Amino acid sequence: MNGEPEVHEEFEARLKAYEGRPAAATGVGRDPVNEPMIRHWCEAMGDTNPAYTGPNAIAPPTMLQAWTMAGLSRRPERTAAYDELLGLLDESGHHAVVATDCEQEYLRPLRPGDEITFDSVIESVSERKTTKLGPGYFVTTRTDIRAGGELAGTHRFRILKYAPARRPKDPKDRKDPKDPKNRKDPKDRKAPEERRPRPVVNRDNAGFWEGVARHELLIQRCTGCGTLRFPWLPGCNSCGSLEWDTVEASGEGTVYSYVVMHHPPFPTFAPPYAVGLIELAEGVRIISNVVGVPYDKVRIGMPVRLEFRRYDEELVLPVFQGVTR
Amino acid sequence: MSLRGRDGLGGRAAITGIGATEFSKDSGRSELRLAVEAVHAALADAGLTPADVDGMVTFTMDTSPEITVAQAAGIGELSFFSRIHYGGGAACATVQQAALAIATGVADVVVCYRAFNERSGRRFGSGVRHREPSAEGAALGWALPFGLLTPASWVAMAAQRYLHTYGLTPEAFGHVAVVDRKYAATNPAAYFHGRPITLADHAASRWIAEPLRLLDCCQETDGGQALVVTSVERARDLPHPPAVIAAAAQGAGRAQEQMTSFYRDDLTGLPETAVVARQLWRTSGLAPADIDVGILYDHFTPFVLMQLEEFGFCAPGEAPDFVAKERLPLNTHGGQLGEAYLHGMNGVAEAVRQIRGTAVNPVPGAERVLVTAGTGVPTSGLVLTADPQGRTRSTTGPPLHL
Amino acid sequence: MNAGDRLPPLEIPITRTLIVAGAIASRDYQDVHHDPEPARQKGSPDIFMNILTTNGLVGRYITDHFGPRAELRRVAIRLGAPNHPGDTMVLTGTVEEVDGDLVTVRVVGANGIGKHVTGTVTVRVPG
């Protein structure tokens, strides 16, 4: 096809004719802005921003396009012009599509109950480009999104309509993902400095970490005087006895104190984050993380409950889930 | 003896107990555990208990800190702890350290120890390779996997508790920073010379480890500081007026750790500082009201407040107000927050300058200065005074026990 | 905060679950985001993350850092190397400009095969 430039020129001229024509007209959001979709979005993104919950919640601004999506429903708003343009590209072998750019400006927050309407225009169609995926054309649309008739944001979106460069590989040439040699477990690939610091395990505290591996949080108990102790040590500070056994923590506790770490950043921890000093129901204290609670919502006295979390293929840590009331 | 004359140490102290573990090629237990067992055995031989011990000495090479052996052996507060460097060359010197402490009344019962898995662990003859983590590493290891990684964060854990207990806000820490920077501003040797700050600056500075802000944390410094110590008699023949060591003390609290003593007490004070304070007041015969200048270790502001309370300058929870009202000239060189962070040695020098009358921010008539060392760790303190024979003093204070 | 300041990185394991959950939460039912076979027929070795999810993750990276009071004003991203299951994307950010309370951050999300996303985000950070 590279040997037929004039053919492309003529084709490109036909494509260019669509610039400036509407792509979607009087589109209506399938649902008003609503809490369930916001919550599903936040769950998927792992976004715990408290601005997106509660009575004064706003929708995540980056959801802007989501409110315009048709899902599996028909798209009555799509114009004939846009359908024709995409049809031309499909027929010329550029049937595959991938989104490449997204530019969004947010003029005002969207809140549950906002009714969404939108209009879209074909801003530009590129000349033919050679890409890693294959040759194709970039199509850029701009959408104005309104809430209750008021402009709330604009959304410029670029897709590549392309002819796939490679035939799909023969399945038997593909690496078997079940073969451990071929498995790309991201946790296996973490550089050492990107992983959490390892627990410091020696003969005096190995029993604690063996308990963690079994999802048990074990407290030492002096068999001489019965005093519970944490951290683990070979002898009792109350009576000096070297004899001890263990009791399993119930898992209930409260935040005795906490620190919110802001600076300096460490590769494996994303500040700000809270580190708690947890007082277990049994009376001993342990440093740990308070999870499930935004860093700025951790408070002294907050009830917490033990859980075990895996951080990489080697590391499981006892952490504490905040119990909000 | 000293290099030039007979010493006063001979015949002043005695070894009263000896104890050891079995000697093997593979002990099967940690070095800390071996140290604890040896200490127990020696105490049993001496007819004493862990509760009698108030001093511990070991080798710098030992992996089991004095405080950790004490913690696991049932030993409480310590008024003396020391280490000697240079491997096996330290052996007899540990006993000399103990004798010095006993002869001077710094401690009553001192245990010297050394314990290792030299054969089954890292062998000196086999080069460096993996070895079992030490007790010191293990103590810190409880915090690191959870991201509590910096000195600021370790201090912040107690600072949070202090604010909570006394119903204060992080602004309470700002007074210390403001006072330090005020003095630093007029100290040409200070890094922050000419750069005073306000409470508003403190409150606007960014979080480091909440509730600590940037201006609660000392800078870090390149530099050196040294001091010369002689007898008071000799000092009188030297060019400067002596700064007499009226009292010197070490302190470690029960269940003491290095910066991570989170598991004891209520985290609103510094028990190790209380051990130092008790000794300094007792030995010097002075009380907080007698002190002219306080040079209180200030790597982080909250621990300055807790020191003031532990030394009895004010009641618990009242230190922010005490500092705000500048009831005591404090860190007149600018402290480590304002002048330089030299692990407190520059503070000792400032105390000397105040007594000499050569400080850049002189406190008129300063004759009694309290100096403290690093907080949140086993610590130490000094009361330095002017030479009672060197000046005509009109004082009604108690006599100095020199 | 000054131009040149770096945001702490955020590491995001690219699981099949994340890709599918992101696609569904954004109402994007394109088969390449949930069905490996059609993805392969379109020249991709496996399913890949849709742009709306990437956009959401970039927004989250910024608001995680600047806090709940920060207001996103503009997010502009360009996709490069696709996010396939089993990869890890590390988002990094550099403050490009501070204009009053408006901060512009240059964001890069790198995965095992290259730069998945490059972009700029303008966020209002109340003083």
Side-chain angles (χ1 to χ4, degrees):
Chain A
M1 287 197 286
N2 289 337
E4 303 171 291
E6 62 287 306
V7 176
H8 297 308
E9 277 172 21
E10 193 224 320
F11 185 62
E12 281 167 17
R14 285 177 67 193
L15 298 178
K16 285 272 179 197
Y18 288 93
E19 290 187 353
R21 297 178 67 179
T26 58
V28 177
R30 299 303 187 273
D31 300 284
V33 175
N34 64 84
E35 286 171 10
M37 281 175 66
I38 293 172
R39 190 164 55 77
H40 298 166
W41 171 280
C42 289
E43 279 179 15
M45 303 301 158
D47 198 336
T48 57
N49 190 340
Y52 307 147
T53 58
N56 297 314
I58 61 166
T62 51
M63 278 188 84
L64 189 66
Q65 186 187 2
W67 305 115
T68 69
M69 297 288 278
L72 296 172
S73 69
R74 286 178 54 249
R75 303 186 203 212
E77 68 271 12
R78 184 178 280 183
T79 59
Y82 197 52
D83 278 337
E84 285 168 22
L85 171 62
L86 296 182
L88 276 174
L89 289 163
D90 285 341
E91 287 158 24
S92 59
H94 306 93
H95 62 270
V97 64
V98 62
T100 60
D101 293 78
C102 172
E103 287 174 40
Q104 298 181 333
E105 286 192 66
Y106 314 109
L107 304 179
R108 78 134 166 103
L110 295 175
R111 298 178 188 280
D114 278 338
E115 299 278 355
I116 298 298
T117 54
F118 58 94
D119 292 285
S120 188
V121 63
I122 300 166
E123 259 197 355
S124 65
V125 183
S126 75
E127 56 191 48
R128 186 169 179 271
K129 301 281 186 186
T130 303
T131 75
K132 278 185 190 165
L133 292 168
Y137 297 84
F138 289 97
V139 178
T140 306
T141 53
R142 200 196 73 227
T143 305
D144 289 337
I145 290 129
R146 294 184 166 76
E150 179 191 352
L151 191 62
T154 62
H155 168 64
R156 180 174 284 114
F157 199 66
R158 187 167 299 130
I159 58 173
L160 173 67
K161 284 286 284 177
Y162 68 100
R166 290 163 291 155
R167 291 184 58 79
K169 289 177 188 164
D170 187 317
K172 62 182 182 291
D173 292 334
R174 276 187 286 115
K175 291 177 178 171
D176 178 1
K178 294 196 184 77
D179 182 340
K181 287 197 300 292
N182 299 329
R183 194 179 300 156
K184 286 206 301 181
D185 183 344
K187 288 163 182 163
D188 292 336
R189 306 192 316 167
K190 282 184 186 172
E193 69 276 9
E194 293 170 339
R195 305 193 312 178
R196 286 189 173 221
R198 306 288 94 178
V200 180
V201 184
N202 64 15
R203 274 175 277 197
D204 292 329
N205 63 24
F208 174 79
W209 293 105
E210 287 160 10
V212 168
R214 297 191 303 270
H215 288 198
E216 295 172 2
L217 195 148
L218 299 178
I219 304 167
Q220 278 182 311
R221 175 171 58 193
C222 175
T223 52
C225 68
T227 302
L228 297 179
R229 71 172 177 263
F230 198 93
W232 280 42
L233 283 171
C236 174
N237 186 244
S238 292
C239 74
S241 170
L242 298 177
E243 303 305 316
W244 53 270
D245 59 11
T246 61
V247 293
E248 184 180 353
S250 70
E252 303 295 332
T254 54
V255 175
Y256 189 78
S257 190
Y258 66 95
V259 176
V260 179
M261 301 292 288
H262 291 263
H263 182 84
F266 298 94
T268 188
F269 298 100
Y273 60 96
V275 184
L277 176 62
I278 308 302
E279 186 155 272
L280 301 178
E282 290 77 9
V284 298
R285 298 179 202 150
I286 179 174
I287 292 287
S288 183
N289 293 122
V290 180
V291 300
V293 178
Y295 70 88
D296 56 350
K297 295 286 187 289
V298 177
R299 292 289 179 271
I300 287 175
M302 172 180 274
V304 293
R305 172 170 261 288
L306 173 68
E307 66 177 51
F308 291 88
R309 279 205 181 175
R310 175 170 290 282
Y311 288 91
D312 54 53
E313 80 278 10
E314 291 171 354
L315 185 64
V316 172
L317 292 175
V319 297
F320 289 82
Q321 178 82 33
V323 182
T324 45
R325 297 220 161 128
Chain B
M1 57 183 279
S2 80
L3 288 174
R4 292 176 189 82
R6 181 189 167 91
D7 66 43
L9 187 60
R12 303 285 299 277
I15 298 173
T16 58
I18 55 173
T21 66
E22 84 286 4
F23 304 136
S24 73
K25 297 295 184 191
D26 185 356
S27 74
R29 49 210 197 272
S30 72
E31 293 177 335
L32 173 62
R33 165 113 190 185
L34 295 177
V36 170
E37 289 180 23
V39 167
H40 279 168
L43 286 170
D45 183 58
L48 295 169
T49 71
D52 296 314
V53 177
D54 56 1
M56 303 196 79
V57 184
T58 187
F59 294 47
T60 52
M61 291 181 74
D62 204 279
T63 66
S64 300
E66 306 92 297
I67 52 172
T68 314
V69 174
Q71 192 175 356
I75 294 168
E77 295 176 345
L78 299 175
S79 61
F80 181 67
F81 33 91
S82 182
R83 288 186 175 217
I84 302 291
H85 198 35
Y86 308 119
C92 296
T94 63
V95 178
Q96 184 200 34
Q97 291 284 299
L100 285 163
I102 304 289
T104 53
V106 163
D108 291 330
V109 175
V110 179
V111 181
C112 306
Y113 66 92
R114 173 80 171 116
F116 51 48
N117 284 319
E118 206 317 76
R119 176 61 180 77
S120 68
R122 187 195 67 166
R123 298 175 67 180
F124 290 145
S126 65
V128 176
R129 56 179 191 185
H130 178 75
R131 61 186 307 190
E132 182 172 23
S134 69
E136 200 160 11
L140 201 51
W142 297 104
L144 302 184
F146 301 100
L148 200 68
L149 300 167
T150 60
S153 71
W154 304 326
V155 171
M157 194 62 84
Q160 186 82 269
R161 195 71 206 168
Y162 181 89
L163 296 179
H164 173 80
T165 302
Y166 299 119
L168 301 168
T169 63
E171 284 60 49
F173 304 138
H175 303 295
V176 174
V178 169
V179 166
D180 274 15
R181 292 287 293 271
K182 178 187 84 169
Y183 287 120
T186 52
N187 173 7
Y191 182 78
F192 287 112
H193 178 231
R195 292 157 70 187
I197 60 166
T198 64
L199 276 179
D201 294 331
H202 170 267
S205 67
R206 65 189 164 113
W207 293 120
I208 298 296
E210 207 172 326
L212 296 195
R213 297 181 180 279
L214 177 68
L215 292 178
D216 291 308
C217 306
C218 76
Q219 59 194 311
E220 291 173 296
T221 304
D222 290 3
Q225 174 78 59
L227 312 162
V228 177
V229 180
T230 68
S231 71
V232 174
E233 292 70 27
R234 179 104 191 245
R236 287 176 181 140
D237 296 332
L238 297 173
H240 294 290
V244 176
I245 303 162
Q250 286 185 296
R254 180 173 283 277
Q256 177 78 52
E257 297 196 6
Q258 290 190 63
M259 303 298 289
T260 55
S261 302
F262 303 137
Y263 314 102
R264 57 171 192 183
D265 307 305
D266 61 4
L267 295 193
T268 56
L270 297 165
E272 56 280 2
T273 296
V275 176
V276 170
R278 251 174 15 231
Q279 298 174 82
L280 291 182
W281 296 143
R282 192 170 54 218
T283 300
S284 69
L286 299 176
D290 300 318
I291 295 297
D292 301 316
V293 183
I295 308 292
L296 301 188
Y297 198 91
D298 58 341
H299 52 352
F300 299 101
T301 55
F303 281 178
V304 174
L305 303 179
M306 295 186 198
Q307 287 181 85
L308 286 165
E309 295 166 10
E310 295 287 5
F311 272 95
F313 287 98
C314 59
E318 292 180 1
D321 189 53
F322 182 92
V323 176
K325 292 183 172 143
E326 299 199 50
R327 305 260 295 274
L328 174 72
L330 198 61
N331 297 344
T332 48
H333 55 321
Q336 303 193 95
L337 288 162
E339 188 193 54
Y341 173 66
L342 241 102
H343 262 161
M345 289 294 273
N346 52 325
V348 181
E350 170 66 6
V352 171
R353 287 189 295 266
Q354 285 291 359
I355 286 167
R356 287 179 178 180
T358 59
V360 290
N361 297 309
V363 174
E367 297 194 343
R368 294 154 169 179
V369 184
L370 171 66
V371 190
T372 63
T375 39
V377 291
T379 187
S380 53
L382 296 170
V383 173
L384 300 182
T385 61
D387 182 2
Q389 294 184 18
R391 298 187 197 183
T392 344
R393 293 175 52 126
S394 59
T395 174
T396 54
L400 296 172
H401 304 287
L402 295 179
Chain C
M1 183 179 6
N2 297 300
D5 284 2
R6 291 182 179 204
L7 275 57
L10 174 63
E11 183 176 285
I12 297 178
I14 308 301
T15 61
R16 201 168 287 278
T17 305
L18 171 61
I19 292 169
V20 174
I24 301 308
S26 53
R27 291 181 53 72
D28 184 344
Y29 292 87
Q30 296 274 347
D31 54 17
V32 291
H33 303 313
H34 63 261
D35 193 344
E37 197 45 46
R40 279 195 282 272
Q41 284 171 9
K42 294 182 176 77
S44 181
D46 201 338
I47 64 166
F48 55 94
M49 181 177 284
N50 72 336
I51 193 167
L52 289 86
T53 300
T54 303
N55 204 41
L57 293 172
V58 167
R60 173 197 150 192
Y61 176 56
I62 295 300
T63 51
D64 275 1
H65 179 75
F66 289 98
R69 293 175 62 221
E71 300 165 20
L72 292 176
R73 288 303 172 84
R74 181 172 182 273
V75 175
I77 60 169
R78 167 162 295 179
L79 296 192
N83 270 341
H84 293 299
D87 209 332
T88 301
M89 176 170 69
V90 179
L91 287 164
T92 53
T94 308
V95 175
E96 204 161 61
E97 190 185 350
V98 179
D99 179 9
D101 55 5
L102 287 181
V103 181
T104 303
V105 182
R106 179 87 186 146
V107 177
V108 175
N111 62 24
I113 46 179
K115 283 182 183 171
H116 167 66
V117 58
T118 52
T120 54
V121 178
T122 304
V123 58
R124 193 174 90 83
V125 183

